[in-house]
Structures are given as structure tokens and as C-alpha cells.
Amino acid sequence: MNSEIQTLIASVGFPIALSMYLLVRIEGKLQILSDSINELSKNIISMK
């Protein structure tokens, strides 16, 4: 994996590689956050 990262940085540049890395890492956390918001919304509706 380390050589793949080095190849990616060499071919597309550091800013693009960093952006892609951060997007991949944040994607899972955004999905969890979205699920939590949906669950909270359902709970609020059921309280009415």
C-alpha cells in the first residue's frame, strides 16, 4: 500500500492525493453521522 501511495503522489500531486485520502476517511464518519441524524429525527417524531 505504501508504494501505491507514493505512485499516486508522484502521478497526481500531493494536494490531490491528500484530498482523496481525507475524503475516503471522512466518508465513513459522514455515513454514521447521517444515520444518527435520521435516528434522532425518528425519535423526535415518535415523541409527538
Side-chain angles (χ1 to χ4, degrees):
M1 180 168 170
N2 195 15
S3 64
E4 293 174 2
I5 292 172
Q6 289 175 348
T7 304
L8 181 65
I9 291 172
S11 64
V12 297
F14 180 74
I16 294 173
L18 181 63
S19 297
M20 289 174 55
Y21 172 74
L22 291 174
L23 284 173
V24 168
R25 285 198 40 132
I26 291 173
E27 181 182 8
K29 293 178 183 178
L30 286 176
Q31 183 62 43
I32 292 169
L33 181 61
S34 178
D35 293 342
S36 297
I37 290 171
N38 288 334
E39 185 67 29
L40 178 61
S41 188
K42 290 176 187 176
N43 288 337
I44 290 172
I45 290 171
S46 69
M47 290 177 68
K48 292 183 179 180

